[in-house]
Amino acid sequence: QVQLVESGGGLVQAGASLRLSCAASGRSFSPSAMGWFRQAPGKEREFVAAIAWISELTWFADSAKGRFTITRDYAKNTLYLQMTSLKPEDTAVYYCAAKAGNQRAHPASNSETYAYWGQGTQVTVSS
């Protein structure tokens, strides 16, 4: 059974930076891709960024391009999201997710193709 545990959320001011982490555990953990999604109050969950686990090919939502960076530490089975120039509209619960190893990494933005999800970490950006 795969478990994903996010950390690193918090309350920051607009313009600040924050790094989220997602630690994965489970026997033979080898996803095809991992991603970050977020859900703001009253809104649907939306794609933020994803990375192919082996090739490290990355995908970003338009809202994240140029401000967010997604990386992974293969040895530690850990996913990261470095967020800079944060805006109040980035306020949301951020979830990490992993695709099963036999799933295609692309399309990375489709949440229905992710098999495993973390519990989420709150990010609040004040103006």
Side-chain angles (χ1 to χ4, degrees):
Q1 185 73 8
V2 173
Q3 287 190 322
L4 305 177
V5 179
E6 302 98 334
S7 61
L11 171 63
V12 296
Q13 290 190 328
S17 298
L18 207 57
R19 189 177 82 155
L20 306 182
S21 300
C22 174
S25 61
R27 296 185 74 177
S28 301
F29 179 71
S30 183
S32 60
M34 291 191 73
W36 290 97
F37 292 77
R38 68 187 183 186
Q39 187 166 20
K43 294 187 177 181
E44 292 187 352
R45 186 173 299 187
E46 64 176 5
F47 169 72
V48 177
I51 185 167
W53 196 246
I54 301 299
S55 70
E56 297 187 271
L57 184 65
T58 57
W59 299 269
F60 293 92
D62 288 343
S63 60
K65 287 178 182 176
R67 299 189 301 128
F68 295 0
T69 303
I70 187 170
T71 57
R72 64 99 172 102
D73 186 321
Y74 185 89
K76 295 182 179 179
N77 282 346
T78 301
L79 178 72
Y80 301 98
L81 184 69
Q82 178 69 47
M83 303 184 291
T84 63
S85 302
L86 283 163
K87 306 173 182 180
E89 50 264 44
D90 293 317
T91 295
V93 177
Y94 283 70
Y95 299 90
C96 88
K99 292 196 177 195
N102 58 359
Q103 276 276 12
R104 296 174 64 90
H106 185 72
S109 61
N110 186 348
S111 62
E112 294 182 0
T113 63
Y114 287 79
Y116 309 103
W117 291 83
Q119 82 288 350
T121 185
Q122 177 71 46
V123 172
T124 303
V125 184
S126 63
S127 58

